Amino acid sequence: MKISVITCHRAYNYGAVLQAYALQKYLTENGHKAEVIDYYPSYVKSEGSIVKRIAKKLLFFPNRIRCKKSFGTFLRQRLKLSEKTYSSFEELKSFPGNSDMYITGSDQVWNMNMQNGKDDSYFLGFVPEKAKKVSYAASIAMDELNSEQADRMKKMLKDFDAVSVREKSGCALLEELHIPCSQVCDPVYLPGADEWKKVARKVTDEKYILVYAFYGQKNVYEYARELGKKENCKVYSVNTSFVDAFRGIDKYFWAVSPEEFVGLVSGANMVVTNSFHGFSFSLIFNKPVCLFKTDKKGNSRLLDMAEKIGANTEKENSQLIADISDYTEINKKLEEYRKNSMEFLKNCGV
C-alpha cells in the first residue's frame, strides 16, 4: 500500500522530527511504501510583523544556521520525503492523488490555538474524495474548544475513515462532538528502546542529569541544579535556542542532531523536563525522570500521559507532575498501550 503522511516534521524540535521518523519506520517495516509529504508552510518560517521578523532573524540567526544543518541532515538521511516541497494549502492541492491512504499526525496538528489547527492541510483537505483518510495520534493539546473551533473540527473530520488522537482529553473533546475516536500512543513509542539505541549517537561518557525544558522555565532548571548537588552529578541541558545556555547549568548542548538528542537521553542518569517528548524518551529508556508542568497552557498532554501509565503524582499547587524511578508496572502499561495502538493501525489496514 502507498501511504502519504503529513505532519509537523519541519519544526526545529526534536519530538517533531523523531515522531515523523518513527511513524514512517513503522509503516515501512510493515511492508508499505510510505513517504512524508514535505510540507513546509510559510508560517513556520516567519511570524509576526515585518519589524518583529527582522529582529527575530537577526537575534536567532545563529540558531537557524545550526538547526538547519542538524535537522536538515536528519531529514535527508532518515526520512523518505516527497519529491516536491509544498509551502501552502493551495500548493498542496496539486499533490499527486495516487496514494492508497493518507495519514495526518502526530504532534499538535489539530491545536487550533496554533497555525497548525487553522490549516486545512493537517485535516487532509487536499486529499481526493475516494482516498482513505486516517489520523494517527493527532494532538489537539487544548483543554476546550469554543463553538467556532468545534464547528470546524466537525466539518473537517466528517469524512475521515478512522480517527485517533494522542491524549485522553482530545478523545473527550471529539466524543462531545459525536466523532468516534481512539486514543493511541505517540509514534515514538512504536519502535522499542533497542531500535532507538540504533539511532542514538553517544555524546559523552560523563555522569549527568539532563534538562530538556521549553520556555526557559526557571523552576525546572532550579530543581535540576539542586538535584545535581544532591546526587553529586553534573547538570547538562539540550535544546535548539542559544538563550538556554544561560541557565546556570554545567554544559549546554545547543542544536545537536536528533540522533545526539536521543543519545543524551539514553545516556543520562536522570532527566528533568517539561516536554512531552522529553518525558516520552525518558520512559522508553526507563530513565528516572522528573516531569514538570509548563508555564504555558496545554499541559493536558503531559498530564494525560502521566495518568495513562499510572504515574500521576501531582499535588495541589505543585508544578511537579511526576517523579518516576520504578518501571516495574509502568513498562507493563506502556507495552499494553503500544499493542493497542498497533491494533488500531492494523484495523485501518496498516
Side-chain angles (χ1 to χ4, degrees):
M1 184 187 298
K2 183 176 180 181
I3 303 174
S4 292
V5 177
I6 186 167
T7 186
C8 303
H9 69 288
R10 278 286 189 170
Y12 292 148
N13 174 283
Y14 295 111
V17 297
L18 290 167
Q19 62 82 19
Y21 164 78
L23 181 56
Q24 186 181 67
K25 181 176 177 61
Y26 179 84
L27 297 174
T28 302
E29 290 191 345
N30 278 273
H32 304 288
K33 185 179 179 182
E35 71 172 0
V36 173
I37 299 172
D38 196 14
Y39 185 50
Y40 195 12
S42 56
Y43 56 78
V44 172
K45 302 175 186 178
S46 60
E47 293 181 358
S49 66
I50 294 175
V51 173
K52 183 179 179 181
R53 290 203 302 268
I54 292 173
K56 192 174 181 181
K57 282 182 179 180
L58 290 173
L59 179 63
F60 289 96
F61 181 72
N63 268 65
R64 298 196 67 83
I65 296 299
R66 290 181 71 123
C67 289
K68 187 175 182 179
K69 181 179 179 181
S70 297
F71 286 82
T73 300
F74 181 88
L75 294 178
R76 288 193 303 272
Q77 295 180 350
R78 301 277 185 175
L79 263 65
K80 171 66 171 66
L81 297 174
S82 60
E83 291 184 6
K84 182 179 176 180
T85 300
Y86 302 85
S87 61
S88 68
F89 176 67
E90 289 303 314
E91 281 190 18
L92 263 181
K93 288 179 179 179
S94 67
F95 182 78
N98 57 356
S99 296
D100 302 295
M101 181 187 292
Y102 294 81
I103 298 178
T104 181
S106 133
D107 222 54
Q108 299 184 58
V109 289
W110 292 348
N111 185 339
M112 293 186 180
N113 289 327
M114 299 172 63
Q115 286 295 329
N116 300 338
K118 300 171 185 176
D119 188 341
D120 288 0
S121 305
Y122 293 114
F123 290 91
L124 303 179
F126 62 94
V127 172
E129 285 186 16
K130 294 183 180 180
K132 194 167 187 179
K133 297 166 71 171
V134 171
S135 72
Y136 181 77
S139 177
I140 299 173
M142 297 171 65
D143 299 319
E144 59 184 5
L145 300 173
N146 60 37
S147 58
E148 183 180 345
Q149 291 167 336
D151 288 343
R152 171 169 166 73
M153 194 71 79
K154 285 190 286 188
K155 176 185 175 184
M156 299 306 295
L157 299 184
K158 69 180 189 308
D159 59 349
F160 269 60
D161 295 274
V163 173
S164 69
V165 295
R166 193 172 65 186
E167 293 96 19
K168 178 182 176 181
S169 53
C171 256
L173 288 174
L174 294 184
E175 286 169 357
E176 286 179 10
L177 303 177
H178 307 290
I179 299 170
C181 70
S182 300
Q183 183 186 2
V184 297
C185 67
D186 187 278
V188 298
Y189 291 100
L190 296 177
D194 289 341
E195 286 300 315
W196 280 117
K197 285 176 183 176
K198 295 176 185 176
V199 174
R201 187 177 300 155
K202 195 173 186 179
V203 179
T204 177
D205 289 315
E206 296 174 295
K207 179 182 176 183
Y208 60 93
I209 293 169
L210 182 69
V211 181
Y212 181 46
F214 290 137
Y215 316 117
Q217 198 164 310
K218 291 182 180 179
N219 62 336
V220 178
Y221 286 93
E222 288 169 358
Y223 188 90
R225 288 196 297 268
E226 289 302 313
L227 204 56
K229 292 176 185 177
K230 180 181 176 183
E231 300 292 329
N232 191 27
C233 209
K234 295 286 188 180
V235 179
Y236 293 164
S237 178
V238 60
N239 218 324
T240 59
S241 176
F242 71 89
V243 295
D244 285 335
F246 308 101
R247 303 296 176 193
I249 41 83
D250 294 295
K251 192 170 184 178
Y252 179 57
F253 292 88
W254 171 29
V256 296
S257 70
E259 292 95 339
E260 289 169 318
F261 169 81
V262 177
L264 281 165
V265 178
S266 67
N269 289 70
M270 185 179 293
V271 179
V272 182
T273 186
N274 63 1
S275 153
F276 177 85
H277 283 107
F279 184 47
S280 294
F281 277 100
S282 300
L283 297 180
I284 289 167
F285 290 120
N286 281 193
K287 295 295 171 180
V289 57
C290 300
L291 176 67
F292 278 77
K293 287 180 180 178
T294 70
D295 287 336
K296 310 287 183 180
K297 291 183 178 180
N299 283 296
S300 59
R301 56 190 182 142
L302 302 177
L303 292 165
D304 282 354
M305 191 61 204
E307 181 183 0
K308 187 72 178 179
I309 59 172
N312 193 342
T313 58
E314 182 186 17
K315 296 178 181 179
E316 189 176 356
N317 297 323
S318 173
Q319 287 290 100
L320 182 63
I321 298 173
D323 185 353
I324 300 168
S325 57
D326 184 354
Y327 277 86
T328 307
E329 294 301 319
I330 287 174
N331 281 337
K332 294 176 184 177
K333 292 182 179 180
L334 280 174
E335 185 57 25
E336 181 183 4
Y337 193 20
R338 184 170 173 260
K339 287 181 178 178
N340 289 341
S341 301
M342 289 178 176
E343 190 64 24
F344 170 83
L345 288 168
K346 184 178 178 181
N347 290 337
C348 291
V350 175

